[in-house]
Amino acid sequence: WYRDAAARTAAYERDLLEATRARLRSAEDYIRCQMLIAEPLVHRMRPFLPAGRARILEVGCGTGGMSLYLASQGFEVTAVDREQYDPEALEAARAFSRRESIRLDLNLADGAALPFREGTYDAVVCGNVVEHLEDPHGTLAEIYRVLVPGGVAFVDFPLFHSPYGGHINDVVKIPWF
């Protein structure tokens, strides 16, 4: 088992390195890179999700790679972004979703004012978003509001002013670049 796991890990790391290098070529390449990054998250999430088709919300989806991967794994996924940084991101996600026949509900919405009923989602994913928010407390309160009782939020954010902050840790290994 260990040898197979090591081979899978090595192959994943090679694929991820190649996808990281290619991610700026096109929106599709960026989405494919995000989908690879999402793969280990799904394995970590599964023990915390209800059996069956869990309902997941991604807040701050950008081009939607994380949500697209989650949806491709059988989850019922809704994704929101407010298009602050890239006005073409949601359309890129929609186009990829249609082309690959991945069912994904994409919405233009602010995380601090989510347009969903209380207790709608089994899990909420919010990765590399909090450090960009105007109202992080409001967004976290909204994430809590839309979770079912006992639901789980997976919130990940880099310390922007840390040695590997600024979303460059996969490119430049020089602290505070």
Side-chain angles (χ1 to χ4, degrees):
W1 178 86
Y2 178 77
R3 192 169 317 187
D4 292 339
R8 281 193 308 272
T9 299
Y12 172 81
E13 291 295 330
R14 278 191 307 275
D15 291 346
L16 183 58
L17 178 60
E18 183 178 318
T20 300
R21 288 178 175 156
R23 77 181 190 274
L24 299 179
R25 287 192 309 225
S26 70
E28 183 168 325
D29 286 322
Y30 195 83
I31 289 168
R32 291 193 185 285
C33 182
Q34 287 181 319
M35 290 178 79
L36 273 171
I37 291 169
E39 189 176 325
L41 173 65
V42 170
H43 296 292
R44 290 185 185 100
M45 287 175 65
R46 282 198 193 275
F48 300 99
L49 298 174
R53 193 169 166 87
R55 293 163 298 159
I56 300 174
L57 170 66
E58 182 182 9
V59 174
C61 67
T63 53
M66 176 85 63
S67 291
L68 286 158
Y69 184 77
L70 289 164
S72 76
Q73 299 303 299
F75 297 106
E76 182 180 325
V77 182
T78 301
V80 300
D81 203 292
R82 59 181 222 179
E83 294 186 339
Q84 179 181 0
Y85 297 99
D86 183 358
E88 297 173 11
L90 287 179
E91 187 48 44
R94 284 185 186 100
F96 190 95
S97 174
R98 284 189 301 270
R99 191 169 46 257
E100 298 295 322
S101 300
I102 299 172
R103 187 168 180 234
L104 176 62
D105 180 16
L106 286 153
N107 299 275
L108 179 61
D110 189 331
L114 294 171
F116 309 112
R117 290 188 328 267
E118 185 175 318
T120 302
Y121 296 98
D122 300 304
V124 177
V125 176
C126 183
N128 294 314
V129 174
V130 173
E131 68 277 16
H132 299 287
L133 299 174
E134 293 171 16
D135 184 9
H137 293 100
T139 299
L140 292 172
E142 280 290 277
I143 287 171
Y144 179 76
R145 182 185 68 77
V146 300
L147 281 169
V148 298
V152 181
F154 297 89
V155 180
D156 173 29
F157 58 94
L159 300 174
F160 203 77
H161 296 290
S162 74
Y164 293 107
H167 300 292
I168 60 168
N169 60 322
D170 60 333
V171 178
V172 179
K173 300 295 184 188
I174 301 170
W176 296 288
F177 175 71

